[in-house]
Amino acid sequence: MSFVEYSEIIQEGDVVIIFLGHESMMPIKVQSGAQTQTRYGVIRHSSDLIGQRFGSKVTCSKGGWVYVLHPTPELWTVNLPHRTQILYTTDIANITLMLELKPGSVVCESGTGSGSLSHSILRTIAPTGHLHTVEFHAQRAEKAMQEFKEHKVSHLVTVRNQDVCKDGFGITGIADAVFLDIPSPWEAITHAKSAMKRKGGRLCSFSPCIEQVQRTCEALLDHGFEEICTLEVLLQVHDVRAVNLPLPDFGPEEGSDDSQEGVPNTGNTSVICRTAIPPREMAGHTGYLTFATKPRD
Amino acid sequence: MAECVKDSDAEGRISYGDYVVLKRGDIFKSVQIENKKKVIFEKQWFFLDNAVGQLYGAVFEIEAGGSLKLKAAKHSGDSLDSKEAGQDNRHIMDDGRSQKLSRDDIETLKEQGLKGQEIVQQLIDNSTTFKDKTEFAQEKYIKKKKKKYESNIKILKPSTRLLAMMYHGREPGKICHLRYDTLAQILTLGNIHAGSKILVFETCAGLVLGSVMERMGGYGSVIQMYPGGGPTRAGMESFGFPSHFHKTLHEFPLCKVNALLAGTLDLSEKDGDGNGRSESSQKTSGVSEKSSEPQSMEVSVDPQEEMRRAERERLREQRAQEKKLKMEEKRKKLASAAALLEGRNADGLVIASRFHPCPVLMGLLKFVAPSRPFIVYCQYREPLIECYTKLREQGGAISLRLTDSWLRHYQVLPNRTHPVLLMSGGGGYLLSGTTVAAKARNQHKAEEPVTKRLKLDKISSSCDSSA
């Protein structure tokens, strides 16, 4: 197993995702002899997981069952332990497309945070790209390094514990793309520009507040960036439901001598409609995404 | 990894045969650089020959006669700012008479060879109201005129981003109105990455196929399932992939899926597999029969006639040989695609077409390994609701989600920041999920609340009773 390559059989040391039911999953590290408690009972790693195929059903001690899934960055995003507010798949997907990431891309990212975007970037740039990620919080940087190792992707990433606004990304002239998710992105634009390849590259800055966006756009313009574009995306979920819609009874129709007339509650009294409805509440804002192109030097 | 690598400019230079994207503002067009070929873009005709040898990202002007001229590097703060500006528009009359230059005057200026920026300056000088406009209004005016009169073109390397925006802006019908943010979701939710084996069924001119291939980087394999005569690849070609990428691309006709699943697909090395083959094999035998006939009936031996006949015979045989080779080539391709599919262990499935997604999905999911993502795009919602329902009944898939995304652009300017006035109405819908091994019903894991039971007993069971 790795986060950048599929495998078929579960092995010792793998990180797997246990699917318990609707919107209920948890990540576990597979260890010989270990056990994991779930509401359906105990999962014994040695007998229930190791050697089993990803995607299989596992019956727990109480009789209930779960599915064991191969990890993906998307599953990781919804299951990872939060150290900070994270980026979700909708924003991540657009960032990936707009930064033109693909195998071989060299990417700079700050801040690493909880590693949600990092895992997605690593999956996209593997096997020949590299991610240079900067995190100014020492423990978070350490935790990120640990996770990358466990997820067998550390060969694709370098974590640096420093302040990107003061010290930059630690490299110059090699990045195809730069991503900023920091409180004052305008302070990092100079470093972002120098990290990028001479021939140019793409930049993205994610900010929750419009004031941050304004200052960032100004800085981008001052530094000669082009195609500056700010947008936001939101995901609308449609919950599929079968709903019962009762039909009205207008009484017997005039002039008809139907034998059923006069007998109440016969025939069609309601209709089942297969439809999809929006949830009661939805995420209304995550942040603004500002993209720009660094032209050739 | 070296800390600071010098880019090789060689790979950054435009060459003949390259697929490129032309850009002016927000308008894009995909073209191939061909010798002395006339290209039309934004109502202008020109040749791309002068671009060859220049660097990607370069900006060109269209000269009289249609040749491109490399534009010198832009100097920031082009001197179009006016010294005078007003406070508000209370005294500005919008009577359409403030511009003193007529259409013909402007045409004359164009013919005299005035550059876009110079024309804009002329318009400003001949506008009676310009100096009364607020600074913001002046900026807006200049921006608008620049957009109209500058004839700059930027030449870029193709990417999913550029091509997706191009198709959505120019020919959305060709891509089933798939908006680029929805395509972004497809690629990410599908976990498309190097080294996997992905099944694609699309009728989006090859754009979805190309974007999948871009994310695979030439590693792994992509099997394109196609509905009719042959797979559509035009959009994919526009990406300008290096040739080794094409080796990872396979195709398989939908009409042979059932045979493959049943194990009855005939891949042996003989003719007669599919209509085209039996027809052509008959033709070949028919032709050779025909050629043998006149020989048996021939009496006189005219040397020139003999030579011509021998030549015809040789050509016929040559064509027959070529046809045979082509068929063998086709058979080999079918066999290699079948070999990849047979294992029923694809790492992902992407569907984006004008076909009803339900049967396509149910048919192709069989080829996907357990614990792998699949994603179905449809311009409309109801067919995906059907897919969802069918999958819930059949089992074998979890985490089903029906979504669409909402996209909004912003204008960010000092004291003028607001969402852009026009917004995209819709970008299509996505159904995503993950495959699992067991085909059992999800009995106690209802992912939706059970339909409320009514007090009355008789419940209509079909939707066709009303409306």
Side-chain angles (χ1 to χ4, degrees):
Chain A
M1 167 240 69
S2 104
F3 274 61
V4 300
E5 209 180 315
Y6 279 121
S7 56
E8 211 188 315
I9 307 293
I10 304 170
Q11 290 174 342
E12 160 116 46
D14 282 355
V15 171
V16 304
I17 309 288
I18 303 292
F19 179 86
L20 300 143
H22 187 52
E23 309 267 312
S24 176
M25 292 186 262
M26 61 191 229
I28 63 175
K29 181 136 186 244
V30 177
Q31 272 162 339
S32 184
Q35 286 185 0
T36 300
Q37 284 286 353
T38 75
R39 70 175 101 112
Y40 298 117
V42 175
I43 300 175
R44 288 172 236 278
H45 293 206
S46 298
S47 52
D48 297 330
L49 297 178
I50 299 178
Q52 297 302 320
R53 212 178 170 194
F54 280 107
S56 346
K57 211 201 282 193
V58 169
T59 309
C60 309
S61 60
K62 279 197 216 149
W65 40 266
V66 298
Y67 286 108
V68 191
L69 302 177
H70 195 290
T72 65
E74 290 62 59
L75 286 173
W76 184 247
T77 289
V78 293
N79 287 297
L80 62 88
H82 286 213
R83 281 93 69 182
T84 60
Q85 171 61 286
I86 66 168
L87 279 182
Y88 288 92
T89 303
T90 309
D91 286 314
I92 292 174
N94 281 282
I95 292 165
T96 309
L97 180 86
M98 299 295 269
L99 286 182
E100 303 183 352
L101 302 186
K102 54 185 187 254
S105 295
V106 176
V107 187
C108 289
E109 170 197 33
S110 186
T112 317
S114 309
S116 174
L117 175 65
S118 314
H119 279 84
S120 184
I121 293 175
L122 288 166
R123 174 268 315 274
T124 304
I125 64 178
T128 45
H130 202 84
L131 171 65
H132 296 271
T133 187
V134 171
E135 171 57 52
F136 65 6
H137 190 279
Q139 279 85 16
R140 290 204 288 262
E142 185 58 49
K143 189 79 173 86
M145 274 190 263
Q146 213 176 53
E147 273 176 1
F148 293 141
K149 209 168 184 177
E150 264 178 29
H151 300 165
K152 309 220 175 49
V153 292
S154 48
H155 59 292
L156 294 164
V157 57
T158 304
V159 182
R160 289 181 176 87
N161 176 213
Q162 62 198 45
D163 181 347
V164 70
C165 297
K166 295 205 184 75
D167 311 311
F169 291 94
I171 46 89
T172 51
I174 62 168
D176 296 297
V178 171
F179 176 78
L180 296 169
D181 180 3
I182 55 176
S184 313
W186 54 92
E187 291 177 10
I189 301 296
T190 314
H191 288 296
K193 194 173 178 191
S194 67
M196 288 200 242
K197 286 181 176 154
R198 251 196 72 219
K199 70 174 178 182
R202 293 281 292 164
L203 178 140
C204 174
S205 173
F206 175 87
S207 294
C209 303
I210 199 71
E211 295 85 355
Q212 293 169 303
V213 173
Q214 288 177 304
R215 290 181 76 167
T216 306
C217 286
E218 216 179 307
L220 288 170
L221 204 58
D222 289 341
H223 281 78
F225 279 82
E226 295 172 349
E227 269 190 281
I228 302 170
C229 155
T230 302
L231 53 91
E232 65 173 338
V233 264
L234 287 175
L235 197 70
Q236 170 80 69
V237 181
H238 302 255
D239 289 329
V240 178
R241 294 270 179 281
V243 292
N244 254 309
L245 303 168
L247 295 170
D249 175 17
F250 288 116
E253 281 189 17
E254 288 302 307
S256 90
D257 55 349
D258 201 308
S259 57
Q260 288 186 341
E261 187 196 323
V263 182
N265 302 334
T266 55
N268 302 340
T269 48
S270 82
V271 165
I272 293 184
C273 188
R274 271 254 140 207
T275 182
I277 57 174
R280 265 199 75 208
E281 272 185 349
M282 63 177 266
H285 180 66
T286 52
Y288 301 101
L289 289 166
T290 300
F291 297 99
T293 303
K294 181 196 139 216
R296 183 176 289 272
D297 277 343
Chain B
M1 186 156 257
E3 289 294 77
C4 185
V5 178
K6 273 215 161 98
D7 310 286
S8 69
D9 271 352
E11 61 152 71
R13 293 205 181 267
I14 303 167
S15 318
Y16 278 111
D18 280 0
Y19 282 93
V20 302
V21 174
L22 306 175
K23 175 185 187 299
R24 176 185 295 168
D26 291 324
I27 314 290
F28 304 92
K29 182 171 181 165
S30 165
V31 293
Q32 191 180 18
I33 310 270
E34 282 173 297
N35 195 9
K36 297 196 186 65
K37 177 149 182 252
K38 236 184 193 177
V39 163
I40 181 168
F41 177 56
E42 289 296 274
K43 299 193 188 130
Q44 289 183 287
W45 287 101
F46 50 92
F47 301 94
L48 291 166
D49 301 78
N50 287 358
V52 176
Q54 301 299 335
L55 294 166
Y56 275 100
V59 180
F60 299 86
E61 273 176 325
I62 304 172
E63 307 240 275
S67 59
L68 288 180
K69 182 175 164 216
L70 185 67
K71 205 173 179 201
K74 204 162 59 131
H75 303 288
S76 56
D78 288 348
S79 47
L80 278 178
D81 352 61
S82 144
K83 311 295 171 204
E84 240 185 301
Q87 289 308 306
D88 54 45
N89 66 7
R90 68 182 80 198
H91 295 304
I92 298 180
M93 299 303 160
D94 186 11
D95 55 9
R97 297 211 297 249
S98 37
Q99 177 55 246
K100 292 305 161 199
L101 291 178
S102 70
R103 255 226 179 119
D104 292 333
D105 293 332
I106 298 172
E107 283 305 310
T108 313
L109 291 177
K110 275 190 189 169
E111 280 159 29
Q112 286 174 357
L114 250 65
K115 296 285 174 251
Q117 187 159 306
E118 294 161 339
I119 295 179
V120 177
Q121 187 62 59
Q122 286 286 317
L123 287 167
I124 292 172
D125 296 340
N126 285 283
S127 162
T128 55
T129 50
F130 188 83
K131 60 176 172 18
D132 299 323
K133 290 180 195 270
T134 65
E135 267 182 45
F136 289 172
Q138 288 178 347
E139 252 184 70
K140 193 172 178 178
Y141 179 90
I142 292 171
K143 207 172 189 176
K144 189 172 162 192
K145 295 304 173 192
K146 261 189 174 166
K147 196 171 177 188
K148 191 169 179 186
Y149 293 104
E150 276 187 353
S151 66
N152 294 343
I153 294 177
K154 197 180 255 189
I155 299 187
L156 299 167
K157 259 198 178 155
S159 68
T160 302
R161 175 180 75 97
L162 295 172
L163 292 170
M165 294 202 296
M166 178 193 84
Y167 270 105
H168 189 256
R170 286 181 96 86
E171 299 170 300
K174 277 197 173 168
I175 55 168
C176 304
H177 295 260
L178 171 68
R179 202 176 54 206
Y180 45 92
D181 61 306
T182 311
L183 177 58
Q185 302 299 317
I186 292 175
L187 298 169
T188 293
L189 289 171
N191 194 17
I192 311 294
H193 63 277
S196 35
K197 175 158 60 174
I198 304 292
L199 258 57
V200 176
F201 177 74
E202 61 114 296
T203 61
C204 296
L207 172 68
V208 174
L209 176 66
S211 59
V212 166
M213 285 173 71
E214 187 186 72
R215 289 289 178 92
M216 310 256 304
Y219 301 92
S221 53
V222 181
I223 305 145
Q224 183 183 12
M225 314 296 291
Y226 60 93
T232 321
R233 298 254 166 100
M236 188 275 290
E237 299 291 350
S238 301
F239 281 81
F241 293 128
S243 52
H244 73 270
F245 273 53
H246 291 83
K247 294 201 190 102
T248 65
L249 180 58
H250 300 81
E251 62 268 6
F252 193 86
L254 278 191
C255 60
K256 299 223 194 302
V257 163
N258 280 335
L260 183 63
L261 287 171
T264 60
L265 184 64
D266 183 10
L267 295 166
S268 52
E269 277 182 58
K270 54 175 162 55
D271 307 316
D273 189 302
N275 301 332
R277 294 189 186 182
S278 34
E279 268 175 32
S280 52
S281 64
Q282 278 168 19
K283 232 195 244 167
T284 326
S285 43
V287 164
S288 46
E289 276 171 24
K290 254 194 239 156
S291 59
S292 57
E293 274 181 35
Q295 277 180 6
S296 54
M297 285 170 49
E298 183 64 40
V299 175
S300 65
V301 186
D302 173 14
Q304 275 206 344
E305 187 61 44
E306 190 62 46
M307 256 175 66
R308 266 183 249 128
R309 200 184 306 116
E311 183 63 32
R312 263 180 270 138
E313 180 65 39
R314 195 186 64 78
L315 276 170
R316 258 187 236 117
E317 272 182 31
Q318 187 182 0
R319 260 181 251 132
Q321 267 297 90
E322 282 169 6
K323 218 165 206 158
K324 218 179 168 188
L325 277 169
K326 259 193 182 164
M327 273 164 36
E328 175 58 22
E329 176 83 30
K330 210 177 171 190
R331 187 202 66 82
K332 272 203 183 125
K333 279 194 168 170
L334 187 72
S336 69
L340 287 169
L341 288 169
E342 256 165 6
R344 305 203 194 189
N345 57 3
D347 294 314
L349 171 62
V350 173
I351 297 171
S353 77
R354 60 180 188 277
F355 282 72
H356 197 299
C358 206
V360 181
L361 178 64
M362 303 322 283
L364 297 181
L365 261 182
K366 297 174 182 147
F367 293 110
V368 183
S371 189
R372 299 291 185 267
F374 59 88
I375 180 127
V376 187
Y377 167 81
C378 185
Q379 193 180 345
Y380 315 101
R381 207 176 67 153
E382 285 71 18
L384 292 180
I385 293 179
E386 264 188 62
C387 289
Y388 183 106
T389 310
K390 249 236 162 81
L391 282 172
R392 303 285 307 130
E393 285 169 18
Q394 193 179 280
I398 52 163
S399 297
L400 294 174
R401 281 233 295 188
L402 178 57
T403 59
D404 78 290
S405 65
W406 185 89
L407 176 73
R408 197 183 218 183
H409 283 256
Y410 282 76
Q411 165 184 290
V412 179
L413 290 171
N415 296 308
R416 288 160 286 172
T417 299
H418 58 72
V420 166
L421 263 47
L422 217 51
M423 196 171 126
S424 161
Y429 300 86
L430 287 180
L431 176 68
S432 62
T434 305
T435 55
V436 287
K439 294 280 182 178
R441 287 170 167 275
N442 281 346
Q443 282 154 348
H444 55 278
K445 288 205 215 297
E447 285 190 20
E448 49 175 275
V450 178
T451 332
K452 280 203 197 124
R453 244 180 256 114
L454 296 184
K455 289 186 193 138
L456 305 163
D457 285 332
K458 298 220 177 114
I459 293 177
S460 157
S461 60
S462 131
C463 292
D464 58 14
S465 56
S466 57

